[in-house]
Amino acid sequence: MAISVFDLFSIGIGPSSSHTVGPMRAARMFARRLKSEGLLAQAATVRAELFGSLGATGHGHGTPRAVLLGLEGNSPRTVDLGQADVDVARIRQSGRLRLLGHELGAAHEIAFDEQEQLILHRRRALPYHANGMTLCAYDAAGLPLLEKTYYSVGGGFVVDEDKIGADRIVPDDTVLRHPFRTGEELLRLTRETGLSISALMLENELAWRSEEQIRTGLLEIWRVMRECVERGMTREGILPGGLKVRRRAAIAARALRAEGTTPANAMEWVTLYAMAVNEENAAGGRVVTAPTNGAAGIIPAVLLYYTTFIPGADDEGIIRFLLAAGAIGMLYKENASISGAEVGCQGEVGSACSMAAGGLAEVLGASPEQVENAAEIGMEHNLGLTCDPVGGLVQIPCIERNGMAAVKAVTAARMALRGDGRHHVSLDKVIKTMKETGADMKVKYKETARGGLAVNVIEC
């Protein structure tokens, strides 16, 4: 199996990669499957059922909205956020939905009653993964035309029922120049080739794209990250969802700008950058999944630490940072999980912290062994982190948690640079431990909003 860095860093919308981006992609896949099998014109109604964590916290994560937009042919990367609200309001008011309405020459209008045809099962789960959804299309006589089950397995990745036995994501059998599945294999390859982790990753990425395309694509990812931070530091008001959480990033930004950017307040800026992104994410704005939306603020914040506070930072460093962080993320995706519904927040914020620590160490001149050590430290001190969003919203504790983890990533990278790369707990061992901890974790602490802060904070 081959995973590209562009699988881990993708442009989408908030508030959740697994509950918004994934379901939108799945719904679009279903509508396009109807078209490819010549069934679109026969479809009279569609029914969507959400299970497990999707059913338990779907309303707070905007999942019903995402399904409606996906059925109309929207992609998370390109959906017009202003028009999206208009389209959802039209569907709900008219009781009519345009299957693939956003694809030229493919639109097919059907009746759609959201209350009857988009069902959230709060305490029912499908067997493969906590984020399951089933869609079925019926003809005018009420007979089923097509039924498909999809799983949103974290980071916006979607697996359909035909691929369950294959792996966590749709298999990619691309032959890479330097294939690896573990941290140990990655380090062995760097020793054999003399390449840094980012340089080795670049050679692997050439299996899919030219070097120019890779560099341009990664800088585009960085542009969207940076713009998200900038928006988050200017917008004020109350976040949607009912908790009445007040945006704080803009207020903090004004205070910090008055102080300037100095080594003394560097970590306050890092915290601010991360919170700005996750306030935007909570508002349903444009973000980069990195590697999930719930943890989307950590890598941009640490990258901005690099560009703001490290002399000599440049575009080449940004590219190397993202490539090295991507290598670390692949190890989590391949050997554990980045899904909060599967392993708790350690799989989201913990993985992002680990990736950011490794990426920063890379551009600060670390050896591959020091990069691996930084990534290990980043996860080791997030082990056991639960996913307990109050009200099922990606707000409390998620926004502050990103700020804390971004600071922790910087600290992890600095700690690793003070050592020689030798340490007792390997990255592979901490990834294995994270997976086992997630398996032992009670379901109520895995993005169901039925445990932890979610039941100990009054939602008003």
Side-chain angles (χ1 to χ4, degrees):
M1 168 120 43
I3 302 174
S4 167
V5 68
F6 292 101
D7 293 326
L8 292 163
F9 300 125
S10 60
I11 299 170
I13 62 170
S16 171
S17 49
S18 58
H19 288 59
T20 312
V21 174
M24 186 185 295
R25 286 176 174 161
R28 183 169 181 256
M29 288 167 61
F30 180 77
R32 299 186 87 181
R33 181 73 172 261
L34 282 171
K35 180 185 176 184
S36 69
E37 295 193 10
L39 301 171
L40 189 64
Q42 300 175 49
T45 60
V46 169
R47 179 180 175 89
E49 297 183 69
L50 309 179
F51 298 89
S53 181
L54 292 183
T57 63
H59 282 301
H61 287 80
T63 309
R65 175 177 181 268
V67 171
L68 298 180
L69 292 170
L71 288 172
E72 290 216 334
N74 288 285
S75 163
R77 182 183 179 92
T78 59
V79 61
D80 183 326
L81 295 178
Q83 184 62 36
D85 289 334
V86 175
D87 289 344
V88 171
R90 165 181 49 78
I91 295 167
R92 289 170 173 168
Q93 291 168 9
S94 68
R96 307 287 296 178
L97 184 148
R98 300 168 185 166
L99 286 172
L100 295 182
H102 284 268
E103 295 196 7
L104 188 64
H108 174 64
E109 188 168 287
I110 62 171
F112 192 86
D113 182 340
E114 184 176 354
Q115 297 300 315
E116 298 293 328
Q117 293 167 251
L118 207 169
I119 311 301
L120 281 73
H121 298 287
R122 295 184 178 274
R123 294 187 180 274
R124 288 180 58 193
L126 297 179
Y128 174 65
H129 192 278
N131 295 329
M133 58 187 290
T134 297
L135 295 102
C136 188
Y138 303 87
D139 65 16
L143 299 175
L145 292 170
L146 178 69
E147 180 175 326
K148 297 292 293 182
T149 294
Y150 301 91
Y151 295 94
S152 179
V153 298
F157 288 86
V158 174
V159 180
D160 71 36
E161 59 189 346
D162 298 333
K163 303 294 191 300
I164 291 171
D167 216 304
R168 295 183 177 277
I169 60 174
V170 177
D172 184 336
D173 57 3
T174 300
V175 177
L176 303 181
R177 185 168 182 179
H178 308 291
F180 61 89
R181 291 197 60 173
T182 67
E184 182 181 358
E185 290 175 359
L186 176 59
L187 290 179
R188 176 179 55 78
L189 286 168
T190 62
R191 288 191 292 268
E192 291 175 355
T193 62
L195 296 171
S196 66
I197 288 176
S198 59
L200 187 143
M201 277 293 296
L202 179 60
E203 293 199 356
N204 279 351
E205 288 295 321
L206 292 171
W208 290 286
R209 299 168 179 85
S210 69
E211 184 168 341
E212 181 180 358
Q213 289 173 324
I214 295 165
R215 293 179 180 277
T216 299
L218 289 174
L219 290 176
E220 171 67 6
I221 291 291
W222 167 234
R223 181 190 65 79
V224 176
M225 286 180 172
R226 189 178 64 248
E227 289 179 353
C228 185
V229 174
E230 292 168 354
R231 286 195 308 274
M233 291 197 303
T234 59
R235 295 184 176 178
E236 300 186 48
I238 304 298
L239 292 171
L243 286 180
K244 299 182 181 178
V245 172
R246 181 170 57 93
R247 285 181 181 253
R248 291 178 286 168
I251 298 170
R254 284 197 296 272
L256 279 173
R257 286 190 184 107
E259 297 178 16
T261 53
T262 70
N265 64 16
M267 291 305 100
E268 290 187 67
W269 278 106
V270 170
T271 303
L272 167 63
Y273 298 147
M275 291 180 62
V277 170
N278 282 82
E279 287 181 356
E280 278 296 288
N281 180 64
R286 182 79 63 199
V287 299
V288 173
T289 301
T292 67
N293 282 29
I298 298 165
I299 288 173
V302 179
L303 261 174
L304 267 169
Y305 167 79
Y306 165 68
T307 61
T308 304
F309 292 96
I310 304 302
D314 56 14
D315 285 353
E316 182 65 23
I318 291 164
I319 291 167
R320 291 175 53 225
F321 182 114
L322 292 172
L323 287 168
I328 303 301
M330 290 171 196
L331 299 178
Y332 286 100
K333 188 66 186 171
E334 188 77 37
N335 299 297
S337 174
I338 58 172
S339 168
E342 191 171 18
V343 294
C345 196
Q346 56 174 358
E348 298 202 25
V349 161
S351 295
C353 179
S354 180
M355 293 166 66
L360 180 60
E362 174 84 4
V363 296
L364 293 181
S367 67
E369 288 77 15
Q370 289 171 316
V371 171
E372 185 262 359
N373 188 14
E376 182 276 323
I377 294 170
M379 173 54 78
E380 184 176 338
H381 303 287
N382 280 292
L383 288 173
L385 196 61
T386 60
C387 185
D388 51 354
V390 176
L393 299 166
V394 191
Q395 297 178 15
I396 303 172
C398 318
I399 295 170
E400 289 181 356
R401 188 168 284 174
N402 274 254
M404 297 295 290
V407 171
K408 191 179 293 186
V410 175
T411 302
R414 292 290 186 181
M415 288 177 69
L417 281 162
R418 293 295 182 185
D420 60 7
R422 290 180 292 181
H423 52 110
H424 288 285
V425 181
S426 70
L427 178 57
D428 289 333
K429 288 179 181 177
V430 85
I431 291 174
K432 182 176 184 289
T433 302
M434 186 269 275
K435 182 179 180 181
E436 292 171 347
T437 303
D440 291 339
M441 192 180 290
K442 288 185 177 180
V443 171
K444 70 179 182 178
Y445 296 118
K446 295 191 279 191
E447 209 167 2
T448 61
R450 295 200 297 268
L453 287 176
V455 296
N456 288 307
V457 176
I458 299 173
E459 298 176 31
C460 64

